[in-house]
Amino acid sequence: MENQTIFFNHRGVYIRDTASIVGPKESHGPIASYFDKTFQDDILGQKSYEMAEIKMHTSGLKYLMNKTKLTPDQVDAFIAGDLLDEIVGCNFTMREFPTSFLGVYNACATFGEALGIGGMMIDGGFADTVVCSTSSHFSSAERQYRYPLELGNQRTPLAQWTVTAMGATMLTPQKSPVRLECTTFGRVVDFGVTDVNNMGAAMAPAARETLLTHLKATGRTPKDYDLILTGDLGDAGSRLFRKIVSEKGVDLDENYQDCGVLIYNREAQDVGQGGSGAGCSSSVFNSYIYKNMLLGKWKRVLLMPTGALISKMSSLLGESVPGICHAVSFVRVE
Amino acid sequence: MENQTIFFNHRGVYIRDTASIVGPKESHGPIASYFDKTFQDDILGQKSYEMAEIKMHTSGLKYLMNKTKLTPDQVDAFIAGDLLDEIVGCNFTMREFPTSFLGVYNACATFGEALGIGGMMIDGGFADTVVCSTSSHFSSAERQYRYPLELGNQRTPLAQWTVTAMGATMLTPQKSPVRLECTTFGRVVDFGVTDVNNMGAAMAPAARETLLTHLKATGRTPKDYDLILTGDLGDAGSRLFRKIVSEKGVDLDENYQDCGVLIYNREAQDVGQGGSGAGCSSSVFNSYIYKNMLLGKWKRVLLMPTGALISKMSSLLGESVPGICHAVSFVRVE
């Protein structure tokens, strides 16, 4: 493992299919038509937002099973994470699936970590079918990390909006149009940001670190990708990312975008700097990105989910917000 | 991946070295002499128990680096988890190590999950040096999951005592005396137990499921192991485990033990049913078990870390306590 990067060159790793489900706000954003399913009642008939998130995640995985005509026992492993304490949403979701479960957590970078582990399972010949998924829910995240919604607190200018969404990718060694080519597993980077409402700034240094390491490992430049996509830096965060990457002599063109910016119409939707959450990069990748790769719009995509590694407790202790970012490279196979 | 089980037969996976650090109570238990380091002031000079847990985990990993004369950049990846919300102890621990970080969470079964993923990274040829570690701290766990210590709440008869401990295993493809032979990744099993003070009963069904699946996958019986070791079922939980396994026609002899029982002297130490926590199986394995395998006491050991997949919130929602268990088989190489 040179430069934190793993190439999947043994059996090869391919996407068999994907699933995405999003909530009301996401279903009115600019890429809404790409999601498999949307819902308007964000409590989904449950008694709490946490149970709603579990229902959304479970439904998404069942939808993926139906789409692929597989039963859960034909899946070797589910690798999943979310933002709830003790990733309890996934734990309860996985009650429905009698299959090996690997719980993962790197905050909003979790989807990248899951794809990297899933890729190794497939490429190393350890498994033939692996499902990687993450979720987040605006209302369960707000009350866990911030304030009760009922308080009606004002949001700060640099705040982002946790997406209500799940996304899942099924990986297989069987050839298909989109290949998972390599992964750069990021490290924890802490620039000492203590404003928990400015996650973009906290995560941007980790994203830079991972991008530069990935380019070094692969001998590539940003131009080798048709699309470079951070997870959820938001508008200000992704502008900061572009700037600090440029300070290291690497320029990002129009081919750089951010899932948190793509998912909403910031002008019209009152989402602060844009979307965030473990379900942000997974729902955007498994819909808009994957479907457009199938259509041939992009041939090479570098997905870089970004995570802010905090908890309620760490903020109360006055600690800073370390970031992490994992990069995953996808190629449209001819 | 047949029967949820992966065999590491490509390059082979071996233990290069281990580390373990435990707190005051553990350092007065029956296996105290096997731990690498012990400490008596359980706040370790920090301003909170959470920061003390982070210091303990960091110290243990640095100790392992010193022991093996490696620098963190010579490690390909750290795979780590703990019981704090958002595994925040590991997140802050990993600020000290400029190395790829994969955060994992399956409650007290996390160490088994980490070893399984680390095993795949080594055996698949993706990495040459991986460190798997977990931690827990009695006082940070009590105040997060239960009550402030200052309340002085009475403990219920089936309660367990979260160990203050960390344990780490360094994996490598280079031959050494102890080999990681295979892993059975468990699934979530929910028998509807709602008493959050009876974790042993909540986890025992998952442990049975994983043991039976592992035996089926390997064509073995319990007699093929010199030691079968659950993570932290505690005394009542491990008796229940023995009973429900027997109901399926599989008998466990004297070769079955539980890390949570081994780590304390229950008669003298007021620990309820015994130890629990993500640091329980990792500190016991990386000291007492590993060192005795080196000495030739046991040739084949099946380590089965067990986890209860709850959060404060899931209990408040009235939800049950699902369990999970991953099995990892070790062999003393001649």
Side-chain angles (χ1 to χ4, degrees), chain B residues 290-303:
Chain B
Y290 173 67
K291 290 174 185 179
N292 271 313
M293 287 190 82
L294 286 183
L295 293 172
K297 182 171 179 177
W298 303 299
K299 188 169 155 51
R300 291 183 165 274
V301 173
L302 187 67
L303 179 70

Side-chain angles (χ1 to χ4, degrees), chain B residues 2-36:
Chain B
E2 287 286 309
N3 291 308
Q4 303 169 218
T5 301
I6 283 171
F7 292 88
F8 300 123
N9 289 335
H10 302 295
R11 302 208 294 173
V13 183
Y14 297 87
I15 296 182
R16 172 156 173 174
D17 215 329
T18 68
S20 58
I21 302 185
V22 303
K25 205 181 263 278
E26 297 70 23
S27 72
H28 294 99
I31 59 170
S33 65
Y34 290 93
F35 299 117
D36 290 326

Side-chain angles (χ1 to χ4, degrees), chain A residues 1-2 4-10 47-48 50-51 76-77 83-88 90-92 94-95 97-106 113 117 119-121 123-128 143-145 184-190 309-314 317-322 324 326, chain B residues 1-2 4-10 47-48 50-51 76-77 83-88 90-92 94-95 97-106 113 117 119-121 123-128 143-145 184-190 309-314 317-322 324 326:
Chain A
M1 191 169 169
E2 289 286 309
Q4 303 169 217
T5 300
I6 284 170
F7 293 88
F8 300 122
N9 290 334
H10 301 296
K47 63 183 175 178
S48 70
E50 291 79 13
M51 297 311 288
D76 291 314
L83 297 184
L84 295 175
D85 293 343
E86 285 71 69
I87 59 166
V88 83
C90 292
N91 299 339
F92 285 91
M94 291 314 303
R95 286 194 291 200
F97 301 91
T99 306
S100 293
F101 167 50
L102 308 185
V104 285
Y105 185 81
N106 270 164
E113 182 194 356
I117 295 172
M120 292 191 291
M121 292 185 80
D123 195 51
F126 303 112
D128 293 324
R143 78 169 178 177
Q144 177 178 289
Y145 288 102
T184 300
F185 282 119
R187 62 183 184 84
V188 176
V189 176
D190 190 351
L309 300 172
I310 56 159
S311 73
K312 278 183 306 288
M313 191 271 304
S314 67
L317 291 174
E319 276 294 332
S320 55
V321 183
I324 194 164
H326 303 296
Chain B
M1 192 169 169
E2 287 286 309
Q4 303 169 218
T5 301
I6 283 171
F7 292 88
F8 300 123
N9 289 335
H10 302 295
K47 64 184 175 178
S48 70
E50 291 78 13
M51 296 311 286
D76 290 315
L83 297 184
L84 295 174
D85 293 343
E86 286 70 71
I87 61 167
V88 84
C90 292
N91 298 340
F92 284 92
M94 292 314 303
R95 286 194 291 198
F97 301 91
T99 307
S100 293
F101 167 50
L102 308 185
V104 285
Y105 186 82
N106 270 163
E113 181 193 357
I117 295 172
M120 291 191 290
M121 292 185 81
D123 196 50
F126 302 113
D128 292 324
R143 79 168 177 179
Q144 178 178 289
Y145 287 103
T184 301
F185 283 119
R187 63 183 184 84
V188 176
V189 176
D190 191 349
L309 300 172
I310 56 159
S311 73
K312 278 182 306 289
M313 190 272 304
S314 67
L317 290 175
E319 276 295 331
S320 55
V321 182
I324 193 163
H326 302 296

Side-chain angles (χ1 to χ4, degrees), chain A residues 7 14 18 41 52 57 76 84 86 98 105 121 152 165 175 180 246 252 268 275 295 316 318 322 325:
Chain A
F7 293 88
Y14 297 86
T18 68
D41 166 20
H57 202 150
D76 291 314
L84 295 175
E86 285 71 69
Y105 185 81
M121 292 185 80
K175 282 211 168 140
L180 199 174
S246 162
L252 294 166
L295 293 172
L316 293 173
C325 171

Side-chain angles (χ1 to χ4, degrees), chain A residues 212-262:
Chain A
L212 297 179
T213 304
H214 176 80
L215 295 177
K216 189 175 167 194
T218 54
R220 294 175 191 162
T221 72
K223 287 192 202 305
D224 291 316
Y225 287 98
D226 301 312
L227 182 63
I228 294 175
L229 198 65
T230 46
D232 54 353
L233 298 181
D235 188 61
S238 54
R239 282 186 282 120
L240 176 63
F241 173 63
R242 199 184 277 275
K243 183 168 181 293
I244 62 174
V245 165
S246 162
E247 284 170 8
K248 295 285 180 181
V250 174
D251 287 316
L252 294 166
D253 297 330
E254 293 307 305
N255 66 344
Y256 166 60
Q257 296 193 51
D258 181 74
C259 298
V261 173
L262 286 171

